[in-house]
């Protein structure tokens, strides 16, 4: 209850929640709208044939780089785990990662200062270097932010509170971005060029806004949260982990592997659909100006559902909340397929699509698997374990960028194309790739979570008890 909270608890929860507001906005710009910028404005002024080749190249490089970096994230988590400063091990990397990745994202949204128009080969080489560096430092920030959850509390319910308030503000950051993307990109393009359209100047402004939000919100976490110390964490901190330990502990923690696979299938579907919704409004509905509806609906639904998670979780197990969210996504895909140009049906579909607890359930399940792994292997890896989720986000982001970029090229949704240029064949192809394929992925995630994920709230409580007894016996 709110009246029982101390001022310190309110401050900590508020600061942590604000962190994900900017963090999610930044990730939305990078994972969803960067590829839109690439397909629509990055190569403006270049001959269409050359621009199409460059779009395909960037799409391929984005996918390839992120997939190759997958192996790096657990190593980054190990670096964070072995960090020891007066500010703790998470907050320094949160700030360093946020600052570096924010600056580099702005550089990418300048088209590397227009280099593509001058030398496409040099542009491609520098793009690889900048994108890899950006992704690495973004991972440092992401790992450190979510890694603070088990450092703040060892109680599963309390972790649920921190994660749910962060999920609430994260939905505002992510979906608020959806609401402002068209007005912001159009307004700043008009200021710079005098034309009412979405141009490179507008996309750059969006990147700057997302980067500033990430930096300011990271400062809130830095000054508003502090790592807690207890016997379980302190006993584990005495032993430094090696790179071999990192991968060994992940491989031997079966729950991490199954939770990760279920989340990956869901995340690819979710992130790709978010990117495709922009094209859906612009090219299928022919109403890009109403794209704000997608953000408004998601924000309202998130505003209503995220704070309810701790309450619902008292009566409904996390697994069931995961299933309800996934079934809701399946319903939304069916509505999108049959809605055609009916904006009312589309809005209903957006409501079902936004009603989802999957990410929150996954974060908590992965967090609880830390003690499971510690009991099973004798080694505690907080940041390494939570590096799994951003690693999965990279894979899903790579896959979704590849899906969205490929669909845009195949369906002719690039450059100055409009809804009037779309044929029935291209619209059918768009709907098949954008909605039917993700639906299959969501169904598979339900099956895996139902039969292979074993960690529940009750089981985690027993694991913590066993760990405490084991540590007392060793002492």
């Amino acid at each position: 209850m709110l009246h029982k909270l101390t001022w310190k608890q309110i401050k900590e929860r508020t600061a942590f929640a604000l962190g994900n507001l900017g963090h999610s906005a930044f990730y939305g710009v990078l994972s969803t709208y960067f590829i839109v910028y690439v397909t629509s404005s990055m190569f403006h002024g270049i001959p269409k044939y050359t621009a199409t080749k460059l779009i395909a190249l960037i799409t391929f490089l984005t996918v390839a780089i992120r997939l190759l970096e997958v192996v790096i994230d657990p190593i980054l988590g190990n670096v964070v785990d072995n960090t020891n400063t007066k500010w703790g091990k998470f907050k320094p990397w949160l700030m360093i990662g946020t600052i570096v990745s924010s600056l580099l994202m702005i550089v990418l949204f300048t088209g590397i200062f227009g280099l593509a128009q001058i030398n496409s080969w040099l542009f491609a080489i520098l793009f690889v270097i900048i994108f890899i560096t950006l992704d690495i430092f973004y991972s440092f920030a992401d790992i450190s932010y979510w890694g603070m959850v088990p450092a703040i509390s060892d109680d599963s319910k309390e972790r649920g509170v921190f994660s749910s308030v962060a999920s609430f503000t994260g939905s505002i950051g992510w979906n608020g971005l959806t609401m402002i993307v068209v007005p912001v990109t159009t307004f700043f393009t008009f200021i710079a060029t005098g034309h009412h359209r979405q141009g490179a100047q507008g996309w750059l402004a969006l990147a700057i806004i997302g980067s500033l939000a990430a930096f300011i919100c990271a400062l809130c976490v830095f000054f508003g949260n502090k790592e807690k110390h207890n016997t379980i964490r302190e006993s584990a901190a005495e032993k430094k982990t090696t790179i071999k330990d990192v991968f060994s502990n992940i491989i031997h923690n079966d729950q991490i592997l199954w939770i990760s696979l279920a989340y990956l299938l869901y995340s690819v579907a979710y992130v790709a659909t978010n990117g495709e919704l922009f094209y859906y409004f612009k090219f299928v509905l022919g109403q890009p100006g109403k794209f704000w509806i997608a953000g408004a609906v998601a924000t309202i639904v998130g505003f209503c559902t995220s704070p309810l998670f701790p309450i619902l979780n008292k009566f409904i197990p996390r697994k069931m909340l995961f299933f309800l969210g996934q079934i809701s996504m399946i319903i939304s895909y069916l509505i999108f397929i049959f809605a055609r140009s009916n904006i009312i049906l589309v809005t209903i579909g957006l409501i079902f699509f936004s009603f989802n607890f999957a990410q929150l359930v996954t974060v908590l399940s992965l967090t609880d698997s830390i003690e499971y792994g510690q009991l099973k292997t004798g080694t505690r890896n907080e940041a390494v374990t939570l590096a799994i989720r951003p690693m999965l986000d990279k894979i899903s982001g790579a896959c979704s960028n590849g899906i969205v970029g490929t669909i845009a090229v195949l369906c002719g949704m690039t450059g100055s194309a409009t809804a009037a240029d779309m044929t029935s064949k291209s619209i059918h192809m768009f709907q098949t790739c954008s909605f039917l394929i993700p639906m299959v992925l969501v169904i598979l995630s339900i099956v895996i979570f139902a039969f292979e994920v074993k960690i529940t709230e009750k089981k985690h409580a027993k694991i913590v008890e066993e760990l405490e007894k084991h540590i007392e016996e060793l002492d």
Side-chain angles (χ1 to χ4, degrees), residues 146-292:
W146 290 107
M148 291 188 70
V149 175
I152 290 172
S153 175
D154 59 4
D155 179 74
S156 185
K157 296 293 184 184
E158 182 67 10
R159 290 174 178 178
V161 173
F162 274 94
S163 297
S164 62
V165 294
S167 176
F168 172 65
T169 53
S171 69
I172 294 175
W174 176 280
N175 299 314
L177 183 71
T178 304
M179 292 175 65
I180 68 170
V181 61
V182 173
V184 166
T185 52
T186 303
F187 174 75
F188 283 99
T189 301
F190 175 75
I191 293 296
T193 67
H195 298 292
H196 288 280
R197 61 182 180 83
Q198 295 168 286
Q201 299 86 352
W203 290 110
L204 176 58
L206 185 73
I208 293 172
I209 290 171
S211 296
L212 284 174
F215 173 70
I216 293 170
C217 292
L219 284 176
C220 293
V221 177
F222 188 88
F223 290 109
N225 293 106
K226 186 177 181 180
E227 295 176 35
K228 306 297 189 297
H229 298 282
N230 54 44
T231 55
I232 293 177
R233 292 191 76 226
E234 289 174 356
S235 65
E238 297 172 358
K239 181 182 178 182
K240 297 295 182 181
T241 56
T242 64
I243 300 301
K244 181 180 178 181
D245 293 331
V246 171
F247 290 99
S248 176
N249 290 333
I250 291 174
I251 292 172
H252 289 93
N253 191 323
D254 58 292
Q255 288 304 285
I256 286 181
L257 297 178
W258 286 118
I259 294 168
S260 298
L261 181 56
Y263 176 75
L264 178 61
L265 293 168
Y266 150 77
S267 187
V268 170
Y270 183 80
V271 178
T273 302
N274 270 286
E276 289 151 0
L277 283 173
F278 181 86
Y279 293 89
Y280 185 60
F281 272 81
K282 184 174 181 178
F283 295 103
V284 179
L285 300 180
Q287 302 182 68
K290 292 186 178 180
F291 183 58
W292 64 270

Side-chain angles (χ1 to χ4, degrees), residues 333-384:
Y333 286 131
L334 293 173
I335 293 175
F336 290 145
I337 291 171
F338 294 106
R340 288 290 179 175
S341 59
N342 190 320
I343 196 67
I344 296 176
L345 281 178
V346 171
T347 303
I348 294 172
L350 289 170
I351 293 173
F352 279 100
F353 182 73
S354 303
F355 186 79
N356 206 312
F357 290 124
Q359 185 180 46
L360 188 54
V361 170
T362 302
V363 169
L364 290 171
S365 298
L366 285 173
T367 302
D368 287 352
S369 72
I370 291 172
E371 284 78 24
Y372 173 83
Q374 184 176 358
L375 183 64
K376 188 173 181 179
T377 66
T379 303
R380 182 182 180 88
N381 300 111
E382 292 177 350
V384 171

Side-chain angles (χ1 to χ4, degrees), residues 284 407 410-413 421-431:
V284 179
I407 291 174
L410 292 178
C411 298
M413 299 175 174
D421 300 316
M422 297 299 103
T423 64
S424 58
K425 180 180 179 181
S426 61
I427 290 176
H428 177 71
M429 180 184 295
F430 176 83
Q431 290 182 321

